Amino acid sequence: MRHYESSVLIEAAPESVWAVLADASRYPDWDSGVTAVDGDIVDGGRITVRTEVGGGRAFPVLVALDPPRLMVWSGGLPFGLFRGTRTFGLDDAPGGATLFTMREEYTGPLLGLFWRAMPDLQPSFDRFANGLKARVEESRPGL
């Protein structure tokens, strides 16, 4: 297994963070690495994510939700040959804040081959987490 992970403390309640996180069509407004998201984030639904790092390629993923605490995206090759599972977690933090964590784990027999060909995704993970923080906090009065 290989993974990428990024966390950030957001000065807002999980429900406020969730409202921004669950509105995938708006991701390009605050994350320059996402160029488009097609489909709606609904439990058991499918979305297609297009990213700058992916060269405009589409990444279809299945979605599982437990609002406002957990969202999971999963996609990959048939028969589990290569799979990526991205988990978005929202945990309570002191003072009414939220600890946001995004982690993607890669598994499967073809992992070594794909891992060598993948670009370093850490900067895009950090950009997503910090972009989410900025979007949520800018919409809060008094901050």
Side-chain angles (χ1 to χ4, degrees):
M1 178 187 64
R2 303 282 181 124
H3 76 276
Y4 288 101
E5 183 173 321
S6 188
S7 295
V8 67
L9 186 65
I10 301 174
E11 296 297 331
E15 293 78 10
S16 297
V17 177
W18 186 265
V20 175
L21 185 62
D23 188 3
S25 67
R26 306 291 301 234
Y27 285 7
D29 295 347
W30 52 266
D31 179 3
S32 61
V34 175
T35 57
V37 178
D38 300 318
D40 296 319
I41 291 183
V42 294
D43 196 25
R46 283 190 167 287
I47 61 171
T48 301
V49 181
R50 297 182 191 281
T51 65
E52 176 186 271
V53 172
R57 288 191 312 261
F59 299 96
V61 294
L62 292 172
V63 178
L65 303 175
D66 183 12
R69 299 293 176 182
L70 183 69
M71 176 166 56
V72 179
W73 297 356
S74 184
L77 295 176
F79 312 113
L81 293 173
F82 177 76
R83 175 150 307 280
T85 301
R86 183 174 296 188
T87 303
F88 304 83
L90 287 77
D91 295 306
D92 292 325
T98 300
L99 178 61
F100 169 76
T101 302
M102 180 173 71
R103 178 181 174 95
E104 186 155 2
E105 295 181 355
Y106 303 94
T107 58
L110 297 180
L111 173 61
L113 178 68
F114 278 87
W115 190 259
R116 284 189 296 277
M118 284 174 60
D120 180 5
L121 298 179
Q122 191 62 51
S124 65
F125 272 60
D126 294 341
R127 182 172 50 218
F128 186 94
N130 290 321
L132 177 63
K133 173 183 175 65
R135 176 52 61 108
V136 171
E137 290 181 354
E138 78 184 9
S139 65
R140 290 197 57 216
L143 280 182

mmCIF file of all heavy atoms in Angstrom, residues 43-60:
data_model
loop_
_atom_site.group_PDB
_atom_site.id
_atom_site.type_symbol
_atom_site.label_atom_id
_atom_site.label_comp_id
_atom_site.label_asym_id
_atom_site.label_seq_id
_atom_site.Cartn_x
_atom_site.Cartn_y
_atom_site.Cartn_z
ATOM 1 N N ASP A 43 -24.656 9.553 -1.924
ATOM 2 C CA ASP A 43 -24.245 8.235 -1.462
ATOM 3 C C ASP A 43 -24.537 7.190 -2.530
ATOM 4 O O ASP A 43 -25.650 7.107 -3.046
ATOM 5 C CB ASP A 43 -24.975 7.892 -0.164
ATOM 6 C CG ASP A 43 -24.338 6.730 0.569
ATOM 7 O OD1 ASP A 43 -23.125 6.488 0.377
ATOM 8 O OD2 ASP A 43 -25.048 6.062 1.335
ATOM 9 N N GLY A 44 -23.521 6.429 -2.906
ATOM 10 C CA GLY A 44 -23.664 5.405 -3.921
ATOM 11 C C GLY A 44 -23.587 5.928 -5.346
ATOM 12 O O GLY A 44 -23.703 5.161 -6.293
ATOM 13 N N GLY A 45 -23.384 7.233 -5.502
ATOM 14 C CA GLY A 45 -23.337 7.835 -6.829
ATOM 15 C C GLY A 45 -21.975 7.713 -7.480
ATOM 16 O O GLY A 45 -21.026 7.191 -6.900
ATOM 17 N N ARG A 46 -21.922 8.193 -8.721
ATOM 18 C CA ARG A 46 -20.669 8.224 -9.478
ATOM 19 C C ARG A 46 -20.388 9.661 -9.873
ATOM 20 O O ARG A 46 -21.289 10.373 -10.298
ATOM 21 C CB ARG A 46 -20.783 7.413 -10.762
ATOM 22 C CG ARG A 46 -20.705 5.937 -10.592
ATOM 23 C CD ARG A 46 -20.575 5.305 -11.985
ATOM 24 N NE ARG A 46 -20.189 3.929 -11.987
ATOM 25 C CZ ARG A 46 -18.986 3.461 -11.707
ATOM 26 N NH1 ARG A 46 -18.034 4.267 -11.367
ATOM 27 N NH2 ARG A 46 -18.719 2.173 -11.754
ATOM 28 N N ILE A 47 -19.131 10.050 -9.735
ATOM 29 C CA ILE A 47 -18.696 11.346 -10.229
ATOM 30 C C ILE A 47 -17.462 11.124 -11.097
ATOM 31 O O ILE A 47 -16.810 10.083 -10.998
ATOM 32 C CB ILE A 47 -18.381 12.342 -9.090
ATOM 33 C CG1 ILE A 47 -17.259 11.828 -8.189
ATOM 34 C CG2 ILE A 47 -19.628 12.673 -8.291
ATOM 35 C CD1 ILE A 47 -16.776 12.862 -7.182
ATOM 36 N N THR A 48 -17.177 12.090 -11.938
ATOM 37 C CA THR A 48 -15.967 12.057 -12.752
ATOM 38 C C THR A 48 -15.173 13.304 -12.425
ATOM 39 O O THR A 48 -15.689 14.419 -12.538
ATOM 40 C CB THR A 48 -16.310 12.011 -14.255
ATOM 41 O OG1 THR A 48 -17.098 10.846 -14.499
ATOM 42 C CG2 THR A 48 -15.045 11.943 -15.093
ATOM 43 N N VAL A 49 -13.940 13.121 -11.994
ATOM 44 C CA VAL A 49 -13.078 14.223 -11.586
ATOM 45 C C VAL A 49 -11.992 14.424 -12.640
ATOM 46 O O VAL A 49 -11.318 13.461 -13.027
ATOM 47 C CB VAL A 49 -12.433 13.937 -10.208
ATOM 48 C CG1 VAL A 49 -11.556 15.097 -9.771
ATOM 49 C CG2 VAL A 49 -13.502 13.641 -9.166
ATOM 50 N N ARG A 50 -11.833 15.660 -13.090
ATOM 51 C CA ARG A 50 -10.754 16.006 -14.027
ATOM 52 C C ARG A 50 -9.791 16.918 -13.270
ATOM 53 O O ARG A 50 -10.212 17.867 -12.624
ATOM 54 C CB ARG A 50 -11.303 16.718 -15.255
ATOM 55 C CG ARG A 50 -12.237 15.842 -16.063
ATOM 56 C CD ARG A 50 -12.738 16.541 -17.327
ATOM 57 N NE ARG A 50 -13.810 15.791 -17.935
ATOM 58 C CZ ARG A 50 -13.666 14.714 -18.687
ATOM 59 N NH1 ARG A 50 -12.458 14.250 -18.924
ATOM 60 N NH2 ARG A 50 -14.694 14.079 -19.196
ATOM 61 N N THR A 51 -8.494 16.573 -13.375
ATOM 62 C CA THR A 51 -7.494 17.322 -12.615
ATOM 63 C C THR A 51 -6.377 17.822 -13.518
ATOM 64 O O THR A 51 -6.110 17.255 -14.576
ATOM 65 C CB THR A 51 -6.866 16.446 -11.513
ATOM 66 O OG1 THR A 51 -6.148 15.381 -12.114
ATOM 67 C CG2 THR A 51 -7.920 15.912 -10.559
ATOM 68 N N GLU A 52 -5.726 18.872 -13.024
ATOM 69 C CA GLU A 52 -4.559 19.419 -13.702
ATOM 70 C C GLU A 52 -3.433 18.380 -13.751
ATOM 71 O O GLU A 52 -2.807 18.160 -14.782
ATOM 72 C CB GLU A 52 -4.114 20.655 -12.930
ATOM 73 C CG GLU A 52 -2.865 21.315 -13.406
ATOM 74 C CD GLU A 52 -2.487 22.432 -12.442
ATOM 75 O OE1 GLU A 52 -2.952 23.561 -12.638
ATOM 76 O OE2 GLU A 52 -1.734 22.148 -11.489
ATOM 77 N N VAL A 53 -3.190 17.699 -12.648
ATOM 78 C CA VAL A 53 -2.124 16.705 -12.553
ATOM 79 C C VAL A 53 -2.403 15.526 -13.487
ATOM 80 O O VAL A 53 -1.490 14.949 -14.045
ATOM 81 C CB VAL A 53 -1.956 16.205 -11.091
ATOM 82 C CG1 VAL A 53 -0.996 15.038 -11.004
ATOM 83 C CG2 VAL A 53 -1.489 17.340 -10.207
ATOM 84 N N GLY A 54 -3.667 15.200 -13.675
ATOM 85 C CA GLY A 54 -4.029 14.079 -14.531
ATOM 86 C C GLY A 54 -4.017 14.421 -16.007
ATOM 87 O O GLY A 54 -4.417 13.597 -16.827
ATOM 88 N N GLY A 55 -3.592 15.617 -16.367
ATOM 89 C CA GLY A 55 -3.533 16.007 -17.761
ATOM 90 C C GLY A 55 -4.907 16.089 -18.403
ATOM 91 O O GLY A 55 -5.041 15.875 -19.600
ATOM 92 N N GLY A 56 -5.932 16.378 -17.606
ATOM 93 C CA GLY A 56 -7.280 16.488 -18.137
ATOM 94 C C GLY A 56 -8.003 15.160 -18.224
ATOM 95 O O GLY A 56 -9.160 15.112 -18.610
ATOM 96 N N ARG A 57 -7.313 14.062 -17.856
ATOM 97 C CA ARG A 57 -7.983 12.759 -17.885
ATOM 98 C C ARG A 57 -9.093 12.731 -16.842
ATOM 99 O O ARG A 57 -9.029 13.390 -15.812
ATOM 100 C CB ARG A 57 -6.989 11.641 -17.594
ATOM 101 C CG ARG A 57 -6.027 11.386 -18.728
ATOM 102 C CD ARG A 57 -5.241 10.099 -18.501
ATOM 103 N NE ARG A 57 -4.687 10.002 -17.170
ATOM 104 C CZ ARG A 57 -3.436 10.292 -16.859
ATOM 105 N NH1 ARG A 57 -2.612 10.726 -17.771
ATOM 106 N NH2 ARG A 57 -3.005 10.149 -15.618
ATOM 107 N N ALA A 58 -10.091 11.918 -17.124
ATOM 108 C CA ALA A 58 -11.218 11.765 -16.208
ATOM 109 C C ALA A 58 -10.973 10.591 -15.276
ATOM 110 O O ALA A 58 -10.463 9.553 -15.698
ATOM 111 C CB ALA A 58 -12.499 11.543 -16.998
ATOM 112 N N PHE A 59 -11.304 10.769 -14.010
ATOM 113 C CA PHE A 59 -11.186 9.711 -13.021
ATOM 114 C C PHE A 59 -12.573 9.442 -12.442
ATOM 115 O O PHE A 59 -13.026 10.177 -11.568
ATOM 116 C CB PHE A 59 -10.230 10.119 -11.903
ATOM 117 C CG PHE A 59 -8.841 10.398 -12.389
ATOM 118 C CD1 PHE A 59 -8.436 11.687 -12.670
ATOM 119 C CD2 PHE A 59 -7.947 9.360 -12.589
ATOM 120 C CE1 PHE A 59 -7.158 11.946 -13.134
ATOM 121 C CE2 PHE A 59 -6.666 9.610 -13.047
ATOM 122 C CZ PHE A 59 -6.270 10.902 -13.322
ATOM 123 N N PRO A 60 -13.281 8.410 -12.955
ATOM 124 C CA PRO A 60 -14.605 8.116 -12.397
ATOM 125 C C PRO A 60 -14.459 7.420 -11.050
ATOM 126 O O PRO A 60 -13.596 6.556 -10.882
ATOM 127 C CB PRO A 60 -15.231 7.185 -13.428
ATOM 128 C CG PRO A 60 -14.084 6.587 -14.154
ATOM 129 C CD PRO A 60 -12.927 7.546 -14.053
#
